[in-house]
Amino acid sequence: MPDRGGGPTGPRIRVGRPSRRVRTLLMTLGILAVLAMVFVMFAGFWTDWLWYRSVNYSSVFTTTLWTKIGLFFVFGLLMAAAVGLNIWLAHRLRPPLSAMSMEQQSLDRYRMSIAPYKKWLLLGIATLVGLIAGASAAGQWRTWLLWVNGVSFGQKDPQFHLDVSFFAFDLPWYRFLLGFGFAATVLSLIAAALTHYLYGGLRITSPGARATAASTGHLSVLLGVFVTLKAVAYWLDRYGLAVKSSDFKATGDWTGLRYVDANAYLPAKTILFCIAVICALLFFGTLWRRTWQLPVIGFGLMVLSAILIGGLYPAIVQKFQVQPNEQAKEAPYIKKNIAATRNAYGISGVKPEDYKGAGKADEDPKKKRDDADSAANYRLNDPNIVSPTFQQLEQEREYYRFPTTLDVDRYNGQDTIVGLRELSLDKLEKRNWINDHFAYTHGYGMVTAKGTETKKGSKGAPDFTNYGLPTSGNLGEYEQRIYYGEKTTQYSIVGGPQKELDYEEDGGGQKTYSYKGDSGVNLSNPINRAAYAVSFGEPQMLYSGAIGEGSRILYNRTPKERVESVAPWLTIDGDTYPTVVDGKIQWVVDAYTTSNGYPYASRTTLGDTTADSLSESDDQRAVVAQQNQVNYIRNSVKATVDAYTGEVKLYTWDDKDPVLKTWKKAFPDTVKDKGEIPKALMDHLRYPQDMFKVQRELLTLYHVTDPGQFYNASDAWQVPNDPTKKDNSAVPPYYLSMKTPGQTQQQFALTTTFTPSGRPNLRAFMTVDADARSKDFGKMKLLRVTGDVDGPEQVQNKLNSMTEVGNFVRDMKGADSDVLYGNLLTVPLDDGFLYVEPVYVQGRKSAYPLLKKVAVSYGTETAFADSLSDGLNQVFGAEGTTKPPADEGDTDQPADPPKSDDPTVQAALDDAQTAFEDGQTALKDGDWKAYGEAQEKLEDALQRAEDAQAAADKKSDKSGDKNADKNGDKNGG
C-alpha cells in the first residue's frame, strides 16, 4: 500500500507535551469539578437529613433511605451477577476453533478489537444493568415494607379463602419478584446469545451445525428458567383474578372474579401452569439430549394452549353460557363484589331508610314553622362566597390573603366561618431577596365570623367574632403568628441579625420581631449554609450579612407538605383547616391509608371522585394521593401542624385498620395513640370531606344489595351538579349543625343529596355524624325519598323563574351589580325537605359581596325574602316562636329608613332614601332612563353610607378597645 504520510519517509511533526504547569492546572480543575459534583449530590442528601431531624422524624428518613439502599444493592447485584455470569459462561463455552466462512471472518475483526477490553466490557455491561435494576427496585420500597411488616386483616376472600393481607401486602411483592426474574432472564438470554454468536457458538450463515452443544445447553437452561417463571406467573394469575379490573356493562368498572373468570380463566390458568412446568422440564432436559426438538414442540404446545385454553375457551363460555342468562350466572359474583366493596370503603352499615320527602299535608303550619326554627343551624354565610368580604374588611395589608374557600368549624357551640390571615407576597410592592425571605416571613391571626348571622347595620356583612390586627374577640389569647400555612410556599430565614416585620400599626409604625421557635435548620454552621446555597440555588446565602448566629431556615411550610413528608405512606385530604387549641393555631390534616389490593372491591380514582365545584376552583383542595387508583380507604390518622413552630404530630384515629398497623410496624414511634389526642383538639376534629365524597360516589350504585337490582341498575343514583355553578361540577358536601329524623337535638354533620341517574328530582339525602366527640361519630343515615320531590337543580330553576327574583336580578343589573347564589342547604323537616339558600349582591365597583336575600323552599312553596325568618314565615304561612337572628339579610327597601348618630352616615342614608323613592316613581311611570339614573344614585349613596359607617365603627372600636376586656367580643359576637 502506498505510504500516506507519517511513515518513515513522510514529514515528521513533533507535538509537544503540555507543560507541567498546564498539566497541574488541568488536574486541579478536574479534581475541583469532581468535588463540586460530589458536593452537589451531598447537599441534597444532607439538607434532607437536616430537615427530617429538625421535625423529629429522622427515623422516617433513615428507614426509607436504608430500605432503598438495601433494595438497590441487593437487586442491582443480582441483576449484574445474572447478566455478567451468563456473559462469562457463554465466553467460556466458546468453541476452540471457528468455522472458515465470511461470517466468521467478519466477526474476527470484532473479536480482535474487543479482546484487550473484555474484562472492562463485561464489568461495564454488568454495572449498567445493575444500576438500572437497582434504581427500579429502590422505587419498590413501599411494596417491600408492606410485605415484610404486613399484618392480618382478619378477613378472607370468598374465592380462595386467603386472608386479605395476601392480596394487599404479599401479592404485589411476589409480582415484583416475578417481573424482576423475567427481566434478569431475558437480559441474560440476550447477552448470552450475542456472546455465543460473537465467539462462534451460534452461526447463521456458516456451514455445519447452527449451534454448538455447549451453547445449546446454555440457552436451553435460560429458556427453561423463563418458562418456569411463566408457570409461576400462571399460578399467581389465579389469585390476581380476585383483584383484576374489567369492564362490566351492568356497572362499568368491575373488580374481582365473574362467572367466566371462576369457570373458565381459573381452570385455564391451572392447566397452563401444568403445561408450562412440563415445557420447562423439556428445556432443562436438553442438557442431556442435546436437541431442541422436544423443547420446541413443548413451547409450541404451551403457546397454542394459551391461545385456545386461555383465550378462546373463556370467550366461548362468555358467549354461549353467560350471555344468554347473564343476570343469573353473575348473581353470586355480584353479591361478593357488593359485600367486599361496601366493607372496603366503610359503608357496609349504611342501609337506606324510606322517607316520604313531600312533607305532611295535614301538619299544622304553626308547628312546621316552629320545627323549622330548631331543625338546623342554617348557615347563611357561605364560606365559598364570603372570602372576598374577609379579604376586604380584614386583610389590613396588601401582602395578606385569606383562602379562596374558607372553612367551617365550631366555637362556643356555634357553626363558625374561619380563615387565617396568611402571608402572600404576590401583591408586595417591593420585591427583593431580603424582603421575600427575611422581612416578610409570617401571617398574622385567625379571623372568625358567625355562620348564621350578619352584622347588625352592615347591610349583609358577616358578624365577625374575632377580628383586627392583632386579632381580638372570642378566641382569647393565642399565638397569632403564622409561619406555616397553605399559602406559605417560599422559604424564610429567621432568628438571626435581620429583624422581621411583625405587623404594621394603623398609625404607620412597624412592629418588628425575631422568631423564637426552634423550628427549621440552623444556618450558623458553614457546611449547612453551603449545602442550602447549593440546594436552593441561592449563592447569597454564603456571604449575606443578614445570616448569622441564630439564623434558621424554614421551608416545606404548607401543612400538606409537612405531613406528606413525615408520613409518605399516607394519602392527604384536600381540605386542611385551622383551629385554635390551647393558645396555638393548629392546622388539622385528615390522612388516609389506602390499598389497591382488596379482593372483589371495585376501584375508584381519587382525583376524579373527590372533585367538586370547590376543588375545581381551588387547586389547594386537591387530594395528595400516594396511589390514585384505590379500592380500600380508611381515615386512620389525624395530623396536626403547629402554625408557629411547624411541629407535626400524627395521631391514630382508626386503631383497627390493618394497613395502619402495618405502617406503624414499619415506622415505629411515629404515630401516637388515639388516647393522646388533647381534649381541646377533639372538640374540632370532624369527619373528612374527601372520605365522604368517595363514599357517596360508591353509594350511587352500592346502596343496592340485591344482585338482580344491582345488575339492572334500575335504582342507580348520581351526585347532582352544583345548581349555583354553570360548569356542571358536582355539588360539594356541606357541614351543618342539624337534626335528622329520630334525633332530638342538633348534631354537627356532613350532608349531601342524590338524584336518580339522568333525572333532576331528589332521590336520596345522606348525612354522617361529623362531630368527633359524638358516640355516633361516623354513623351514616341515608334517607331514600319515596315521594316526588324537587332536587337541588329543580329548586334553583324554580327560584330563578319567580317574578320577584327576576325583578331583583334586573334591578341589581340595572344598578351595575352581580347576584351571587350561596350554598343551597337541604334539611329534612317533618317528612319533607327544607331548602335554604343565601343570595348575595356585589356591585361592580365593590370589592366584596353582601347578603341581601334568602330563598326558602318547602314542598310546593318557595319564598324569596329579606331574611330567613321572613322566608320561613312565607313558606309555612305562620310565624315561629323562636326570635330570628338580628339582621340576617337586610333589605334594600326598608319601610322606615335607618337612623344613624353619625351625620355623614345619616346624610348618605337620606340620599339613598330619596334615590330609592325616585326610582320607584320612575318604575311606576315606565321611565327606564330615570329609573337607571336613580339606581346609580342609590348605589352611590349606599356605598358612601357603608364606607362612612365602617370608618365610624373602626374609630369606635379603637376607642372601646382601650377599656374593653381583652377576651371580650368587640362587636357583640
Side-chain angles (χ1 to χ4, degrees):
M1 297 291 289
D3 185 56
R4 305 234 179 232
T9 61
R12 307 184 69 180
I13 302 175
R14 298 182 60 90
V15 178
R17 296 180 61 190
S19 66
R20 184 174 182 180
R21 180 180 297 177
V22 172
R23 292 200 306 271
T24 303
L25 177 61
L26 292 175
M27 184 177 295
T28 302
L29 290 176
I31 293 173
L32 290 176
V34 171
L35 290 176
M37 288 188 292
V38 170
F39 187 77
V40 169
M41 292 186 290
F42 166 78
F45 165 81
W46 185 244
T47 53
D48 285 346
W49 161 250
L50 291 174
W51 187 85
Y52 275 96
R53 191 175 65 175
S54 73
V55 293
N56 298 318
Y57 282 90
S58 55
S59 63
V60 174
F61 178 81
T62 54
T63 299
T64 304
L65 178 65
W66 286 116
T67 302
K68 290 179 178 179
I69 290 175
L71 292 172
F72 177 85
F73 278 104
V74 169
F75 287 95
L77 289 174
L78 284 175
M79 181 65 77
V83 175
L85 178 63
N86 279 282
I87 293 175
W88 174 83
L89 186 59
H91 178 266
R92 187 176 180 83
L93 296 175
R94 68 190 184 280
L97 297 173
S98 59
M100 295 298 295
S101 66
M102 292 298 296
E103 179 186 25
Q104 294 304 313
Q105 289 178 13
S106 298
L107 292 174
D108 278 340
R109 289 189 300 227
Y110 294 104
R111 288 193 283 262
M112 292 174 64
S113 62
I114 67 173
Y117 311 106
K118 285 191 293 187
K119 292 182 179 180
W120 290 108
L121 186 61
L122 174 62
L123 182 62
I125 293 174
T127 301
L128 178 62
V129 296
L131 289 173
I132 296 173
S136 176
Q140 298 293 324
W141 64 272
R142 290 185 178 88
T143 308
W144 160 261
L145 288 176
L146 285 172
W147 178 69
V148 78
N149 294 288
V151 302
S152 172
F153 271 68
Q155 306 165 20
K156 296 183 182 296
D157 80 286
Q159 181 67 40
F160 302 101
H161 307 293
L162 296 173
D163 192 90
V164 171
S165 61
F166 171 80
F167 301 92
F169 305 144
D170 300 343
L171 189 58
W173 178 249
Y174 297 152
R175 281 177 163 169
F176 163 72
L177 292 179
L178 185 64
F180 177 83
F182 273 123
T185 303
V186 170
L187 289 175
S188 297
L189 185 61
I190 294 172
L194 289 175
T195 305
H196 280 299
Y197 175 70
L198 180 64
Y199 287 95
L202 292 177
R203 302 156 191 162
I204 299 177
T205 62
S206 300
R210 292 286 182 258
T212 64
S215 63
T216 299
H218 183 195
L219 297 180
S220 294
V221 170
L222 289 176
L223 288 170
V225 172
F226 179 86
V227 177
T228 300
L229 291 174
K230 188 61 180 173
V232 176
Y234 282 133
W235 189 257
L236 288 181
D237 284 346
R238 299 169 68 254
Y239 302 111
L241 293 172
V243 291
K244 182 195 72 171
S245 289
S246 60
D247 185 43
F248 187 30
K249 67 179 182 181
T251 61
D253 185 48
W254 172 275
T255 302
L257 286 85
R258 292 155 54 190
Y259 181 89
V260 69
D261 296 313
N263 295 277
Y265 280 111
L266 189 57
K269 297 292 184 183
T270 305
I271 295 171
L272 290 172
F273 164 77
C274 297
I275 293 174
V277 170
I278 295 172
C279 185
L281 293 176
L282 292 176
F283 274 109
F284 291 134
T286 57
L287 287 172
W288 295 274
R289 293 180 56 84
R290 303 295 185 181
T291 176
W292 290 77
Q293 185 175 7
L294 286 179
V296 170
I297 293 174
F299 189 78
L301 176 62
M302 186 178 75
V303 173
L304 182 64
S305 300
I307 297 172
L308 297 178
I309 302 174
L312 184 60
Y313 174 63
I316 293 173
V317 171
Q318 178 68 25
K319 179 70 175 178
F320 295 102
Q321 290 191 33
V322 177
Q323 288 186 6
N325 191 19
E326 189 173 42
Q327 180 173 334
K329 293 290 187 182
E330 301 289 12
Y333 306 96
I334 292 175
K335 187 174 183 180
K336 295 174 183 177
N337 176 267
I338 292 173
T341 301
R342 288 170 61 88
N343 188 62
Y345 290 94
I347 54 176
S348 58
V350 180
K351 297 180 180 179
E353 304 174 19
D354 288 344
Y355 185 78
K356 184 178 179 181
K360 299 176 181 177
D362 56 348
E363 187 78 65
D364 178 23
K366 182 69 165 56
K367 180 180 182 304
K368 282 186 179 180
R369 177 65 180 84
D370 290 342
D371 290 344
D373 281 332
S374 60
N377 201 0
Y378 304 99
R379 183 165 37 74
L380 299 181
N381 282 317
D382 184 355
N384 316 313
I385 298 288
V386 299
S387 178
T389 311
F390 273 56
Q391 190 73 21
Q392 181 66 19
L393 300 181
E394 291 296 328
Q395 178 190 19
E396 301 292 348
R397 297 293 181 268
E398 71 277 3
Y399 45 81
Y400 291 134
R401 284 290 181 274
F402 288 95
T404 304
T405 300
L406 301 172
D407 288 294
V408 179
D409 203 350
R410 293 146 293 159
Y411 288 94
N412 301 323
Q414 184 181 61
D415 292 357
T416 304
I417 311 298
V418 303
L420 291 189
R421 188 188 288 114
E422 291 193 52
L423 179 68
S424 179
L425 300 179
D426 294 341
K427 299 293 184 179
L428 192 63
E429 291 184 3
K430 188 175 182 180
R431 299 291 300 274
N432 54 53
W433 191 62
I434 293 295
N435 277 348
D436 285 1
H437 302 292
F438 292 83
Y440 295 89
T441 59
H442 57 276
Y444 214 100
M446 175 185 280
V447 176
T448 65
K450 294 180 181 179
T452 58
E453 302 177 26
T454 58
K455 185 177 180 181
K456 189 174 182 180
S458 68
K459 290 294 179 182
D463 187 1
F464 292 107
T465 55
N466 208 74
Y467 54 94
L469 181 65
T471 65
S472 59
N474 64 356
L475 295 181
E477 291 285 342
Y478 67 100
E479 175 54 67
Q480 299 191 25
R481 297 173 182 89
I482 303 161
Y483 283 88
Y484 295 88
E486 290 181 304
K487 295 184 178 296
T488 316
T489 55
Q490 78 285 348
Y491 71 88
S492 290
I493 299 177
V494 298
Q498 176 69 45
K499 293 294 184 181
E500 310 163 43
L501 170 67
D502 203 21
Y503 61 88
E504 294 185 38
E505 299 177 302
D506 289 332
Q510 290 187 347
K511 289 281 188 179
T512 59
Y513 182 73
S514 185
Y515 184 67
K516 296 179 174 57
D518 59 357
S519 181
V521 178
N522 192 343
L523 291 182
S524 300
N525 186 319
I527 295 179
N528 292 355
R529 288 180 69 171
Y532 278 102
V534 171
S535 295
F536 283 45
E538 291 284 4
Q540 295 178 85
M541 287 187 186
L542 290 172
Y543 53 78
S544 174
I547 301 176
E549 190 66 30
S551 292
R552 309 182 72 84
I553 183 169
L554 313 180
Y555 63 105
N556 286 353
R557 298 169 70 183
T558 68
K560 288 183 186 179
E561 274 184 309
R562 296 183 78 77
V563 175
E564 198 270 338
S565 296
V566 303
W569 39 273
L570 288 174
T571 293
I572 311 301
D573 189 273
D575 182 25
T576 60
Y577 61 97
T579 65
V580 172
V581 177
D582 295 331
K584 300 176 182 179
I585 297 177
Q586 298 278 351
W587 289 97
V588 178
V589 184
D590 282 290
Y592 310 109
T593 46
T594 60
S595 175
N596 195 27
Y598 197 99
Y600 271 102
S602 288
R603 290 181 173 84
T604 188
T605 303
L606 291 179
D608 296 336
T609 307
T610 57
D612 59 24
S613 61
L614 298 186
S615 61
E616 291 180 5
S617 62
D618 185 356
D619 56 5
Q620 288 185 331
R621 286 184 168 249
V623 64
V624 180
Q626 297 305 320
Q627 49 184 353
N628 202 23
Q629 275 262 323
V630 303
N631 68 351
Y632 173 91
I633 186 170
R634 290 290 186 273
N635 176 213
S636 53
V637 172
K638 300 284 189 181
T640 61
V641 177
D642 192 296
Y644 182 78
T645 66
E647 181 183 19
V648 181
K649 292 183 179 179
L650 307 175
Y651 296 101
T652 299
W653 188 247
D654 186 349
D655 50 14
K656 297 180 180 178
D657 175 31
V659 181
L660 177 61
K661 291 178 181 178
T662 297
W663 285 119
K664 288 175 73 173
K665 280 182 63 180
F667 296 97
D669 303 323
T670 57
V671 184
K672 300 177 181 293
D673 293 336
K674 188 174 184 178
E676 296 184 51
I677 299 177
K679 181 182 180 302
L681 175 62
M682 188 70 77
D683 293 341
H684 298 279
L685 298 183
R686 66 191 192 188
Y687 200 85
Q689 280 186 317
D690 284 340
M691 178 81 171
F692 189 68
K693 292 177 191 176
V694 171
Q695 291 172 322
R696 73 172 180 178
E697 185 65 31
L698 268 296
L699 282 169
T700 57
L701 284 177
Y702 286 92
H703 64 277
V704 173
T705 56
D706 177 75
Q709 189 180 13
F710 186 90
Y711 175 85
N712 294 323
S714 57
D715 192 24
W717 301 346
Q718 66 184 16
V719 177
N721 294 329
D722 189 339
T724 66
K725 308 291 182 182
K726 297 181 180 180
D727 55 1
N728 293 329
S729 51
V731 63
Y734 294 124
Y735 287 106
L736 188 67
S737 291
M738 57 175 291
K739 289 192 297 187
T740 55
Q743 289 183 326
T744 57
Q745 60 183 10
Q746 293 180 13
Q747 193 69 41
F748 190 64
L750 189 56
T751 68
T752 192
T753 53
F754 298 97
T755 58
S757 182
R759 297 280 309 282
N761 54 297
L762 189 64
R763 189 65 180 97
F765 173 83
M766 186 169 75
T767 179
V768 62
D769 190 329
D771 188 346
R773 301 165 301 179
S774 171
K775 61 181 178 60
D776 292 326
F777 174 79
K779 183 178 180 180
M780 292 183 176
K781 183 180 283 289
L782 181 59
L783 303 179
R784 180 167 48 200
V785 179
T786 58
D788 186 11
V789 181
D790 289 339
E793 291 179 280
Q794 289 176 309
V795 171
Q796 188 68 49
N797 290 336
K798 186 163 59 175
L799 174 68
N800 293 341
S801 64
M802 293 177 64
T803 303
E804 302 96 302
V805 176
N807 291 338
F808 179 75
V809 173
R810 183 192 61 206
D811 292 347
M812 291 303 102
K813 287 185 177 180
D816 202 22
S817 298
D818 293 324
V819 176
L820 306 175
Y821 294 101
N823 41 219
L824 181 58
L825 305 176
T826 308
V827 177
L829 176 67
D830 293 340
D831 278 347
F833 286 99
L834 177 66
Y835 288 97
V836 174
E837 182 179 49
V839 180
Y840 297 81
V841 171
Q842 181 171 357
R844 299 286 172 82
K845 299 178 182 179
S846 176
Y848 58 93
L850 296 172
L851 178 66
K852 292 300 180 183
K853 294 285 185 178
V854 179
V856 180
S857 180
Y858 184 84
T860 59
E861 300 295 327
T862 302
F864 188 66
D866 295 329
S867 68
L868 174 62
S869 180
D870 289 345
L872 293 174
N873 291 343
Q874 293 178 33
V875 164
F876 296 111
E879 294 187 4
T881 56
T882 304
K883 184 178 179 180
D887 200 46
E888 56 178 307
D890 294 296
T891 175
D892 283 333
Q893 305 173 5
D896 297 309
K899 301 296 180 182
S900 172
D901 295 331
D902 188 290
T904 305
V905 176
Q906 187 58 51
L909 290 174
D910 292 341
D911 291 344
Q913 181 65 20
T914 301
F916 172 74
E917 293 171 353
D918 291 345
Q920 294 300 305
T921 302
L923 188 62
K924 291 178 182 179
D925 296 340
D927 188 345
W928 295 108
K929 181 179 180 181
Y931 176 77
E933 293 174 351
Q935 291 301 311
E936 290 180 1
K937 293 179 180 179
L938 174 62
E939 182 184 10
D940 179 69
L942 290 175
Q943 187 65 48
R944 284 190 287 111
E946 182 180 325
D947 294 343
Q949 185 64 51
D953 289 346
K954 196 166 188 178
K955 182 177 180 181
S956 176
D957 286 344
K958 288 182 180 179
S959 176
D961 282 348
K962 295 179 181 179
N963 300 315
D965 185 275
K966 62 184 176 181
N967 294 326
D969 181 358
K970 291 195 294 185
N971 71 348

